Amino acid sequence: MYVFYNNKGIGDVLLIPLKSAQHAKFSMETYKDVVRIIDHETNEVTGYNLFNASKYLTELENGKIKLDQNLLEQLKDIFKQNQVNGELDIDLSPKFVVGYVTDIAPHENADKLRVCQVDVGAEQLQIVCGALNVDKDQKVVVAKIGAVMPSGLEIKPSNLRGVDSFGMICSQKELGIPDAPKEKGIYVLPSDAKIGEEFAI
C-alpha cells in the first residue's frame, strides 16, 4: 500500500487512500489537521488527508511512499495528536504477490472462463480467469482481495456466473507496466520467481 505526497502540486498534504471510490458523493470529518473521507452511500472510510504533513513527518519525498509498519505507527501517533476518533486499522500484508497456478478447470457456465487454483504462499486461492494464455504450472502476478489496481479498481470477492473468485491474475497492462504488450493475456513470470513474494508495482 502507498500514500502520496506532492508538495508542489497540491500543497503540504499527505494523501492516505484506503479504498477506491464507489460513488461520487462524499462526506468529510475534520479533526484538526486530519480529514476523514467517507463514501456518502456506503458509509465506508475511503481515505484520509493529513494537512501540514511536513510538520509531523520529516524527510517527506514527493511521489508515492510505501506505507510500512514504521510509517503506520507514526501516523497512528499523529492521529492521536489530532484526536481522531477510531483506530487507523490498515492491513500491510502484500496485496500483489507471485502466485503459482496448481490446477485449472473449465468454468461450468462460461466457455471463455476458467477456474484456477493458485498457490500464493500463505494460502491457496480460487480465481476465475478469462485470459486465453493462463495455464497450469505458470507463475503469475496475483492481486489479492483488498488490492487497488493502478486504474483505481479495488479487488473484492466476486461470483462469476456461479463460481466464487478471490483475486485476479493480472496482465502487464493491468499492472501499469510501461510498454506492456498490446496482446491480451496474463503476465507469466520467470520460473525462478518466488511463490508468495511481493510483486512491486
Side-chain angles (χ1 to χ4, degrees), residues 107 113 126-129 145 153-168:
H107 190 295
L113 297 177
Q126 177 169 285
I127 300 176
V128 178
C129 181
I145 301 301
L153 172 70
E154 182 183 351
I155 303 302
K156 297 181 178 182
S158 59
N159 185 284
L160 300 173
R161 297 207 176 186
V163 177
D164 291 333
S165 183
F166 301 95
M168 184 169 78

Side-chain angles (χ1 to χ4, degrees), residues 8 27 42 47 63 74 96 111 136 140 147 199:
K8 292 181 179 179
S27 58
T42 65
Q74 290 183 70
F96 294 90
D111 292 340
K136 187 178 176 181
V140 296
F199 185 88

Side-chain angles (χ1 to χ4, degrees), residues 16 34 48 75-84 88:
I16 309 168
V34 178
Y48 293 89
L75 289 173
K76 286 182 177 181
D77 185 58
I78 292 165
F79 278 35
K80 286 180 181 177
Q81 293 176 47
N82 284 272
Q83 300 176 329
V84 179
L88 185 60

Side-chain angles (χ1 to χ4, degrees), residues 67-78 88-92:
L67 182 61
D68 58 18
Q69 192 62 45
N70 180 54
L71 179 54
L72 179 58
E73 292 304 321
Q74 290 183 70
L75 289 173
K76 286 182 177 181
D77 185 58
I78 292 165
L88 185 60
D89 188 17
I90 297 176
D91 177 11
L92 292 181

Side-chain angles (χ1 to χ4, degrees), residues 100-104 114 116-118 129 131-140 169 186 188:
Y100 177 71
V101 182
T102 60
D103 195 21
I104 190 167
R114 284 181 279 180
C116 305
Q117 306 301 324
V118 187
C129 181
L132 293 175
N133 68 326
V134 67
D135 208 350
K136 187 178 176 181
D137 297 326
Q138 288 175 333
K139 288 184 177 176
V140 296
I169 301 175
I186 59 161
V188 180

Side-chain angles (χ1 to χ4, degrees), residues 12-24:
D12 191 14
V13 184
L14 185 71
L15 307 179
I16 309 168
L18 300 181
K19 292 180 176 290
S20 60
Q22 298 298 313
H23 305 95

Side-chain angles (χ1 to χ4, degrees), residues 41-77:
E41 292 189 31
T42 65
N43 211 34
E44 289 184 312
V45 178
T46 60
Y48 293 89
N49 291 343
L50 172 62
F51 291 85
N52 301 309
S54 62
K55 182 176 77 174
Y56 301 98
L57 300 165
T58 57
E59 301 179 1
L60 274 174
E61 295 183 4
N62 284 316
K64 67 179 185 179
I65 303 166
K66 187 171 179 59
L67 182 61
D68 58 18
Q69 192 62 45
N70 180 54
L71 179 54
L72 179 58
E73 292 304 321
Q74 290 183 70
L75 289 173
K76 286 182 177 181
D77 185 58

